[in-house]
Amino acid sequence: MDEKRKNELFRRAARLALKARPSPNPRVGAVFARGGRIIGEGFHARAGEDHAEIAALKAAGAGARGSDLVVTLEPCPAWGRTPPCADALIAAGVRRVYVGCLDPNPAVAGGGIKRLRDAGIEVRLEEAQGAAGRLCGALIEEWRAFITTGLPFVRIKAAISLDGKMAAAGGDSQWISCAASRRRAHGMRARHDAVMVGIGTVLRDDPLLTVRDFPWKGPPPARIIVDTHLRTPPSSRLVATCREAPTLIAYGDGNGRELERKGVELIRCAVDGKTGRVDLKRLLEKLARRSLTSILVEGGSALITSLVEQSLADALTLFIAPLLVGGRSAVPLLAGRDIARISDAARLEDVRVRRSGDDVMLEGRLVAAKK
């Protein structure tokens, strides 16, 4: 298969993978081809159901024998909730397998590829080279963090002005970002297991945190409120819609009986002795045990600051609008402690920049600040 067609098929497999959020499993897409022509394809739709390779095998049928498979992640070599995909590919008589990236689980990595090669199947790994490897690595960015650290992948998403403000002095923030950026933000919600905000955002904006302006047929993300003293109003829109999408409140103290009657789930957390707020590390540990592998944090400034200062955020997406808000009382993206030197600052790596309507969309991996 030539390089151009191979990359086209990897892009196709990646688009298939993005149709689902099969947590706590990774997103995977697979395409069978013969002579470069697609004969079957599939994706992993839900944990406990067919993996992408099996779904694609069923679509290809007998045509899979002697064909090529393009798959975004290494086929599994062992039993989990489903049989090993590597064995199914061997039994189907697949000729060649193009693998986007290795399974990051140290107990598994390389095992599927070895099983295939031992059976005489040619395997080509793309992870260390080219666009296909980068594309497939990005697909499992969140799952890689979850499986290697035991904590959810945390992405901070915020809309800011050119001078770094999230809201005007009176708290107004609608709308800093343009319509195109807000549509992208809804897509980001769909692709994360949960959306998290602090109580300040709930009291100020009364948000819904649902996926609306984006074509999504999967389950809604859970909505998490970090609310140390249980100040969430029972009349808020999050509470009013809590039976439509899972709604959790992480708290330290307070009476939540009315919230529970309405259908909200309360998560009792330890309180950080330094901040007097919910211990965020312990909260993330609790969320990981619930198989929430990725969290999109949408505010406010206090929650974002705490996550950055405690090195609990993995990535940052900023929508930078062509606005200058000004004023010392306007709400900044980050507050918190002062640093003595620029070299002590948190920084972004693997930075990507693109246009989003009238805004600039900036993304990168967060590297912790020195303490």
Side-chain angles (χ1 to χ4, degrees):
M1 189 186 306
D2 65 45
E3 190 75 9
K4 179 180 178 182
R5 183 55 176 158
K6 179 197 71 178
N7 286 333
E8 289 172 349
L9 293 178
F10 266 116
R11 287 194 292 273
R12 174 62 185 167
R15 287 195 295 272
L16 290 167
L18 287 170
K19 288 186 174 183
R21 197 180 67 234
S23 299
N25 293 350
R27 293 186 181 94
V28 185
V31 177
F32 278 99
R34 185 185 298 279
R37 183 178 63 85
I38 295 175
I39 59 172
E41 60 185 24
F43 61 95
H44 186 32
R46 191 173 294 106
E49 297 185 1
D50 285 343
H51 287 190
E53 301 94 318
I54 305 304
L57 265 177
K58 289 179 177 178
R65 184 164 298 276
S67 68
D68 294 337
L69 170 66
V70 172
V71 61
T72 58
L73 182 65
E74 175 185 9
C76 58
W79 276 84
R81 294 171 67 177
T82 58
C85 293
D87 290 356
L89 296 175
I90 293 167
V94 175
R95 180 176 71 112
R96 182 187 296 121
V97 178
Y98 295 87
V99 175
C101 55
L102 286 172
D103 191 319
N105 187 339
V108 176
I113 289 177
K114 183 179 185 302
R115 181 80 63 87
L116 294 172
R117 285 175 173 163
D118 287 348
I121 295 175
E122 180 184 349
V123 180
R124 299 187 182 181
L125 177 62
E126 305 291 323
E127 183 170 35
Q129 57 189 352
R134 292 192 296 273
L135 175 65
C136 295
L139 270 179
I140 61 163
E141 180 183 28
E142 296 92 346
W143 189 73
R144 184 189 301 274
F146 175 74
I147 206 68
T148 56
T149 69
L151 294 176
F153 178 94
V154 175
R155 178 179 294 277
I156 293 169
K157 187 277 294 180
I160 62 170
S161 62
L162 286 171
D163 52 341
K165 307 299 185 183
M166 292 179 66
D172 176 50
S173 62
Q174 298 182 351
W175 296 102
I176 287 180
S177 57
C178 67
S181 296
R182 296 198 295 276
R183 283 193 296 272
R184 286 183 185 272
H186 280 267
M188 293 174 67
R189 287 178 182 174
R191 291 177 179 138
H192 286 75
D193 292 335
V195 181
M196 179 185 288
V197 294
I199 181 58
T201 298
V202 174
L203 295 175
R204 182 182 65 246
D205 297 339
D206 193 19
L208 270 174
L209 305 180
T210 53
V211 179
R212 299 185 297 281
D213 196 9
F214 184 77
W216 178 248
K217 296 180 180 180
R223 304 174 300 179
I224 302 168
I225 306 166
V226 182
D227 179 8
T228 303
H229 304 299
L230 276 183
R231 295 187 291 150
T232 300
S235 60
S236 67
R237 295 201 295 171
L238 283 167
V239 175
T241 58
C242 67
R243 300 192 187 277
E244 299 171 23
T247 306
L248 296 76
I249 299 180
Y251 77 107
D253 59 60
N255 185 338
R257 284 193 292 273
E258 184 176 358
L259 293 168
E260 286 184 306
R261 281 198 300 270
K262 289 179 176 290
V264 172
E265 182 177 355
L266 300 184
I267 304 176
R268 183 71 177 263
C269 294
V271 173
D272 188 318
K274 293 181 180 179
T275 66
R277 298 171 179 165
V278 163
D279 187 316
L280 295 174
K281 175 73 177 297
R282 299 291 176 262
L283 170 59
L284 292 176
E285 290 170 350
K286 288 175 180 283
L287 297 178
R289 289 195 288 272
R290 293 166 175 258
S291 296
L292 296 176
T293 66
S294 60
I295 311 291
L296 182 67
V297 177
E298 295 201 9
S301 179
L303 178 59
I304 290 172
T305 298
S306 294
L307 288 165
V308 172
E309 289 188 344
Q310 295 175 44
S311 303
L312 294 174
D314 299 283
L316 175 68
T317 298
L318 289 180
F319 294 99
I320 305 170
L323 299 171
L324 291 168
V325 175
R328 294 182 179 179
S329 298
V331 181
L333 174 66
L334 290 181
R337 62 181 176 85
D338 294 325
I339 59 170
R341 297 176 299 276
I342 292 298
S343 60
D344 294 338
R347 64 186 186 278
L348 289 185
E349 292 186 350
D350 302 327
V351 175
R352 301 175 299 281
V353 181
R354 68 182 112 164
R355 287 288 299 270
S356 177
D358 291 335
D359 302 337
V360 172
M361 181 179 177
L362 185 149
E363 298 182 285
R365 181 168 53 86
L366 263 170
V367 179
K370 292 181 181 178
K371 296 184 178 179

